[in-house]
Amino acid sequence: KKCMEDYLIKSPHVQLRQHDATVKNLLEQLAQDYLEMPPEDFFTDSKREKGLEVFLIRYFHYVMFGLNLNGKDLKLVTKLYGGDWYTSHFLLPTSFILNGTRLVDEVARMYESSPGMQNFQDNVPEHGCMTRSELARLMVAIIRLAAKTGTYQLELARVAMANLRLPSYRGENTENTKIEQHWDALNLNDPSAVRMYIMEVARLYPPVNCVHHVSTVELTVRIAGQTQTFPAGTLLLVPLVLGNLDRGIWGPTTFEFDPQRPELESQFMGFNSVGDQHCGRTCPGKELTLDIVATMLQVLGETRRRKRADCIPVAQSCGID
């Protein structure tokens, strides 16, 4: 984890690229796509090298690796990361059928020679003695399953931008929340307000529902009224989502959308932590994800509001809610 953070997450070069001219151009293209593309294509189509999914692929590769993907390189990476077949490239036997192993190797070699890894040093003890090749191949899985999937495929960005509804919880009215009304009313110039909006979306629809924990000692618990004892080494599932929906923590408005609720960030469990409290296993990409989702909400929120203002005289023909 520290190896990845030092080179590709918390490096000063990463922080500089997050807000440079290349990212500005990517965001301008994203706003243009938002105006021109039908919503279903903007949010889900990766085949036309436009829209939200392709933006996130290009953004994460540029910010972390310094790779400005275009042409055949973008096609290669999108083939591996885009669409709905993502896990099939990592599983047998479908990885052979889809040439997933070859794709992983090609993308990993691209990472190895990227600007983000040009100063990599092999076999550093504090980095677990990782090699350049090991980090590159590790990042293929992390980009697909965390950076792209956590931010996009598992709905964080799409729910925050009102493309998908919040979940349906039995006996609750959560799924009928008008997210677009909250987004339209959000103070886009207040970074704290935008951050809390994202946290509340993630609380009700967490990109990561659960994590695992291996018990280090024998433990005894009651299940269905009976005492059960498990040995040390037992693999446990930790349902983070239940912590984010616990009425004992969040009170009677637990299933309502309220970005201004007290202790929202300090009690939030979606990043494998309780607020900032953790034992070293919290999500390394937390701030990177929150930063880009906030930026997209601001850029596309302003674009949406300008479009609505321009269409007021002919609102019905514009088709904007």
Side-chain angles (χ1 to χ4, degrees):
K1 177 183 174 182
K2 181 169 174 53
C3 182
M4 176 184 65
E5 288 180 332
D6 287 352
Y7 284 106
L8 303 173
I9 300 292
K10 296 182 178 179
S11 163
H13 299 291
V14 171
Q15 297 173 23
L16 288 173
R17 286 194 289 264
Q18 278 182 278
H19 305 286
D20 70 5
T22 297
V23 167
K24 181 180 179 181
N25 290 336
L26 290 175
L27 287 165
E28 289 176 351
Q29 181 61 56
L30 181 70
Q32 191 67 28
D33 293 346
Y34 184 74
L35 288 173
E36 296 177 353
M37 298 176 70
E40 61 273 17
D41 291 342
F42 174 80
F43 285 102
T44 62
D45 187 0
S46 63
K47 297 179 181 179
R48 293 195 286 171
E49 299 184 9
K50 300 176 70 176
L52 179 62
E53 187 172 10
V54 171
F55 165 80
L56 286 171
I57 290 172
R58 296 184 70 188
Y59 173 84
F60 284 123
H61 280 80
Y62 176 70
V63 168
M64 288 194 289
F65 297 99
L67 294 170
N68 192 1
L69 297 177
N70 288 290
K72 64 177 183 179
D73 288 340
L74 179 58
K75 289 182 182 296
L76 172 67
V77 173
T78 303
K79 187 175 182 180
L80 178 61
Y81 296 136
D84 298 327
W85 282 82
Y86 59 95
T87 55
S88 301
H89 294 300
F90 300 91
L91 301 173
L92 295 175
T94 52
S95 62
F96 288 109
I97 298 172
L98 298 172
N99 288 321
T101 302
R102 179 185 62 80
L103 283 173
V104 169
D105 289 342
E106 287 189 55
V107 173
R109 285 195 293 271
M110 184 187 301
Y111 293 170
E112 287 188 60
S113 60
S114 69
M117 294 183 65
Q118 65 179 352
N119 296 320
F120 187 90
Q121 295 183 3
D122 289 331
N123 301 311
V124 175
E126 67 174 345
H127 290 160
C129 295
M130 290 191 74
T131 65
R132 181 189 297 262
S133 176
E134 287 173 336
L135 178 60
R137 294 183 68 84
L138 172 67
M139 291 308 298
V140 174
I142 288 178
I143 290 287
R144 177 63 256 195
L145 301 176
K148 194 262 182 176
T149 302
T151 306
Y152 167 79
Q153 197 71 32
L154 290 182
E155 325 324 343
L156 178 58
R158 295 176 64 190
V159 175
M161 296 178 197
N163 175 245
L164 292 175
R165 290 184 175 186
L166 289 169
S168 174
Y169 294 112
R170 186 171 60 184
E172 305 296 339
N173 197 41
T174 312
E175 73 274 18
N176 293 321
T177 302
K178 302 294 185 182
I179 288 292
E180 66 276 11
Q181 295 180 3
H182 290 275
W183 186 19
D184 288 339
L186 184 63
N187 183 353
L188 300 175
N189 296 315
D190 184 346
S192 178
V194 175
R195 185 181 178 93
M196 292 304 100
Y197 173 90
I198 299 168
M199 299 292 278
E200 182 69 345
V201 168
R203 185 186 70 82
L204 290 168
Y205 205 151
V208 179
N209 288 314
C210 56
V211 294
H212 79 277
H213 174 74
V214 179
S215 65
T216 57
V217 296
E218 181 181 277
L219 70 155
T220 300
V221 296
R222 290 187 64 80
I223 300 176
Q226 297 184 357
T227 299
Q228 303 284 347
T229 298
F230 299 92
T234 298
L235 185 63
L236 306 173
L237 184 73
V238 182
L240 302 177
V241 62
L242 298 185
N244 281 332
L245 299 174
D246 187 341
R247 293 186 189 274
I249 298 172
W250 306 105
T253 63
T254 293
F255 291 90
E256 297 176 14
F257 187 81
D258 180 10
Q260 298 180 350
R261 67 176 62 251
E263 307 298 329
L264 174 55
E265 186 161 11
S266 64
Q267 297 294 330
F268 181 80
M269 294 179 60
F271 291 105
N272 196 25
S273 63
V274 180
D276 290 328
Q277 302 176 58
H278 58 86
C279 58
R281 296 288 299 278
T282 189
C283 173
K286 170 184 175 181
E287 294 303 328
L288 193 62
T289 295
L290 290 174
D291 181 83
I292 187 52
V293 175
T295 301
M296 290 190 298
L297 283 169
Q298 291 168 320
V299 170
L300 298 185
E302 291 172 354
T303 301
R304 174 183 171 89
R305 292 176 191 187
R306 286 197 299 270
K307 185 176 181 180
R308 288 173 61 90
D310 292 342
C311 291
I312 285 176
V314 285
Q316 291 183 342
S317 64
C318 289
I320 302 175
D321 295 334

